[in-house]
């Protein structure tokens, strides 16, 4: 992005883990807080785009995000209204639970206000620990009762070679992974890129008015959906390959330095 185009930026999308927050330290830095405050003061809409659900979205001191793309954009909302709701088809939820059980993998079903799992293993527990959370294991995993509620995302501990087994005979869901030992399962027709377009339409903004920062494979569509997609220095190679720019590592306040250099703050 050229400095003289910084004035065209009206909205900024941020992934959380590995982007806003170092996954090792698990806390946001003062420089990143300063960055978000200055962007807000400069009239830029702040959007958090995360695989986390609304009940696990982090809050940062002195920062009010304007809009949220939760569950990898399956559920997008502001504090006042829901912008986009895209649950996983119920028949696919059932198939995934059954497929995962066959390979001895417990699954967490997530709705707007939380959810529950039919068990837990180390991979799933460690995955939730990244968000400083614990797996809610339901003593009575009543599948039919759970199906009364919309499932926006499913989480399962697994490796890439297990993906095909988990998604056997499933048409309406896909795996969106940003960690090698677990995966988010989201609607097949949704991703962060779809969410970005819904949000841009909501605010009557063009692609060129948007910038996004991300580090994981589930951020690729988001970076492609904005005018300026920025990969973190710690991003995976496939993310860097589609990015318009690469900033510094999250542990070195890469976003702060990029925004300073580009005149955004």
């Amino acid at each position: 992005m050229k400095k003289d185009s910084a004035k065209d930026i009206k909205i900024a999308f941020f992934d959380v883990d590995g982007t806003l927050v170092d996954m090792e330290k698990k806390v946001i830095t003062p420089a990143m807080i300063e960055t978000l405050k200055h962007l807000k003061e400069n009239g830029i809409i702040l959007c958090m785009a995360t695989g986390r659900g609304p009940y696990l979205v982090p809050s940062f001191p002195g920062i009010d995000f304007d809009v949220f793309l939760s569950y990898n954009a399956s559920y997008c909302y502001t504090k006042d209204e829901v912008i986009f709701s895209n649950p996983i088809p119920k028949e696919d939820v059932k198939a995934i639970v059954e497929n995962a059980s066959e390979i001895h993998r417990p699954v967490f079903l997530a709705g707007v206000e939380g959810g529950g799992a039919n068990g837990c293993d180390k991979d799933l527990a460690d995955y939730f620990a990244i968000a400083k959370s614990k797996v809610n294991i339901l003593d009575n995993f009543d599948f039919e009762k759970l199906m009364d509620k919309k499932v926006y995302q499913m989480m399962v501990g697994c490796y890439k070679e297990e993906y095909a087994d988990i998604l056997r005979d499933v048409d309406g869901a896909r795996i969106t992974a940003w960690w090698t030992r677990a995966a988010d399962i989201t609607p097949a027709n949704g991703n962060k890129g779809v969410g970005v377009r819904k949000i841009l339409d909501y605010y009557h903004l063009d692609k060129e008015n948007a910038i996004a920062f991300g580090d994981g494979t589930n951020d690729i569509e988001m970076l492609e959906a904005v005018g300026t997609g920025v990969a973190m220095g710690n991003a995976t190679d496939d993310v860097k390959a589609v990015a318009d720019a690469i900033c510094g590592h999250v542990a070195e306040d890469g976003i702060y330095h990029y925004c300073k250099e580009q005149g955004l703050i």
Side-chain angles (χ1 to χ4, degrees):
M1 182 177 66
K2 296 179 181 179
K3 282 189 178 183
D4 57 7
S5 65
K7 64 179 183 299
D8 295 328
I9 300 299
K10 306 297 182 185
I11 187 169
F13 296 85
F14 298 93
D15 171 55
V16 178
D17 301 296
T19 301
L20 283 178
V21 178
D22 185 346
M23 290 177 63
E24 296 296 323
K25 298 176 182 176
K26 297 183 180 180
V27 292
I28 195 166
T29 66
M32 195 62 242
I33 290 289
E34 181 184 340
T35 302
L36 294 173
K37 284 183 176 179
H38 285 325
L39 289 172
K40 187 97 170 178
E41 288 167 359
N42 291 340
I44 293 175
I45 298 165
L46 299 183
C47 177
M48 187 181 293
T50 178
R52 303 187 193 197
Y55 66 103
L56 288 176
V57 166
S59 60
F60 303 126
I63 304 298
D64 289 320
F65 277 81
D66 300 287
V67 61
F68 300 85
L69 273 64
S70 69
Y71 289 140
N72 290 298
S74 294
Y75 189 77
C76 305
Y77 62 97
T78 68
K79 65 179 180 179
D80 298 315
E81 63 183 306
V82 176
I83 297 172
F84 182 55
S85 171
N86 185 32
I88 300 172
K90 292 184 178 182
E91 62 271 19
D92 290 314
V93 173
K94 184 175 183 179
I96 290 166
V97 171
E98 293 173 349
N99 291 344
S101 295
E102 289 182 12
I103 60 173
H104 310 292
R105 286 292 196 177
V107 182
F108 187 94
L109 278 60
V112 173
E113 298 177 354
N118 58 353
C120 189
D121 56 20
K122 179 170 172 51
D123 292 326
L124 189 60
D126 288 350
Y127 192 41
F128 270 67
I130 293 172
K132 299 180 180 179
S133 183
K134 292 183 178 180
V135 177
N136 177 30
I137 303 172
L138 300 177
D139 293 331
N140 296 308
F141 189 82
D142 188 335
F143 185 80
E144 295 303 323
K145 188 174 181 180
L146 286 171
M147 284 300 88
D148 290 339
K149 299 181 179 180
K150 294 178 180 179
V151 175
Y152 287 96
Q153 185 161 289
M154 303 170 72
M155 284 79 101
V156 57
C158 63
Y159 292 85
K160 195 170 184 178
E161 53 267 29
E162 297 173 275
Y163 291 0
D165 288 333
I166 292 171
L167 293 182
R168 187 180 73 251
D169 299 324
V170 172
D171 297 320
R174 56 180 279 190
I175 281 179
T176 305
W178 55 268
W179 196 48
T180 56
R181 291 170 47 204
D184 296 332
I185 301 173
T186 59
N189 61 347
N191 54 59
K192 286 187 181 182
V194 172
V196 166
R197 289 188 286 274
K198 295 289 183 181
I199 298 303
L200 292 180
D201 287 345
Y202 176 80
Y203 285 107
H204 305 292
L205 295 173
D206 296 323
K207 178 178 181 178
E208 290 70 30
N209 298 132
I211 188 170
F213 299 86
D215 73 301
T217 302
N218 63 328
D219 295 319
I220 288 176
E221 292 93 346
M222 175 174 72
L223 299 191
E224 293 176 327
V226 297
T228 305
V230 183
M232 304 301 296
N234 50 284
T236 53
D237 290 340
D238 53 348
V239 176
K240 291 178 179 177
V242 304
D244 300 300
I246 300 174
C247 69
H249 195 288
V250 62
E252 299 168 354
D253 292 319
I255 295 177
Y256 167 78
H257 294 293
Y258 177 87
C259 288
K260 288 281 285 186
E261 292 165 2
Q262 299 299 326
L264 287 167
I265 60 175

